[in-house]
């Protein structure tokens, strides 16, 4: 599966949220909406940065809330 990043491909153009953290949050929302489990995320170029930030967001949400970071 591939997604269109906001403002790219067939996605609508936006004047806000065109940054890596928002792109990563968009991925998280897509994964949740599709109820994807054990997905393997691959990104090329800018997509690689999105994947890294997405994984960091998930890690913080999962592990840091219990350790008070």
């Amino acid at each position: 599966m591939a997604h269109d990043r906001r403002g790219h491909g067939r996605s609508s153009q936006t004047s806000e949220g065109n940054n890596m953290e928002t792109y990563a949050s968009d991925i998280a929302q897509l994964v949740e909406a599709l109820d994807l489990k054990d997905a393997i995320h691959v990104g090329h170029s800018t997509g690689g940065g999105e994947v890294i930030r997405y994984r960091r967001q998930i890690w913080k949400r999962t592990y840091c809330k219990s350790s008070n970071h």
Side-chain angles (χ1 to χ4, degrees), residues 1 3 23-41 51 54-55 58 61:
M1 178 182 74
H3 76 283
Y23 296 156
S25 294
D26 291 345
I27 293 172
Q29 290 175 27
L30 179 62
V31 167
E32 185 175 325
L34 297 176
D35 195 29
L36 299 177
K37 305 288 185 212
D38 300 320
I40 297 172
H41 300 269
V51 170
Y54 162 73
R55 293 301 307 156
I58 297 302
R61 195 174 335 160

Side-chain angles (χ1 to χ4, degrees), residues 2-12 23 26 30 50:
H3 76 283
D4 280 342
R5 179 184 307 124
R6 66 171 61 213
H8 295 79
R10 293 183 180 175
S11 296
S12 58
Y23 296 156
D26 291 345
L30 179 62
E50 287 179 55

Side-chain angles (χ1 to χ4, degrees), residues 18-28 41 43 45-61:
N18 295 308
N19 60 67
M20 296 298 273
E21 293 301 322
T22 303
Y23 296 156
S25 294
D26 291 345
I27 293 172
H41 300 269
S45 191
T46 302
E50 287 179 55
V51 170
I52 290 169
R53 284 170 178 81
Y54 162 73
R55 293 301 307 156
R56 184 180 64 207
Q57 288 178 7
I58 297 302
W59 183 84
K60 284 181 177 179
R61 195 174 335 160

